[in-house]
Amino acid sequence: MGDPVLVGEVLTGMAVLDAGAPVDAGVPAQRDTGAGAGTATCGRCGARADWHRTVRGKWILIEVGEWPVGSVPAGRRWRVAGDGTAVNLGGAQPSDTCRICHFDVCPAQPAPPTGSPTLQALRREHARRQGGRDHVAGAGRAPR
């Protein structure tokens, strides 16, 4: 249901990239000590997203961009605080925007049973960009 998960449970196939670190380093540079650990490329579908630590200390891969809360099902809406911490939104104003967990729209993951046109469209877009490429599992390590 879009809940955060332990990094070790989901990172097989994920490569974390940092603009200041060599691409093969796999983890953000040591200076990245905040809740946002950097940009990643999903090793399963090739999509780019950002790692953020949740208020419970787990890591979640968040899609780039924001969407109107009315287009994203409750429980799958995220906000990134100023310090980089990802917070799952409870209630929100219809005029608010939110972020989306990549795992809800990754075509290599089982599709969540939401029926959300927004999540389905993002999933289709990632699948289209993937173009049938095979992504090697275990291509990277988790943020620390």
Side-chain angles (χ1 to χ4, degrees), residues 57-119:
K58 296 181 180 182
W59 288 94
I60 187 167
L61 193 57
I62 300 285
E63 287 286 309
V64 175
E66 295 185 347
W67 289 265
V69 294
S71 69
V72 179
R76 300 190 185 278
R77 303 170 183 158
W78 292 87
R79 170 129 331 120
V80 177
D83 67 354
T85 301
V87 179
N88 192 277
L89 288 179
Q93 297 295 320
S95 60
D96 285 346
T97 59
C98 65
R99 306 276 302 268
I100 297 172
C101 173
H102 174 70
F103 305 121
D104 286 335
V105 296
C106 180
Q109 301 281 344
T114 66
S116 164
T118 298
L119 296 184

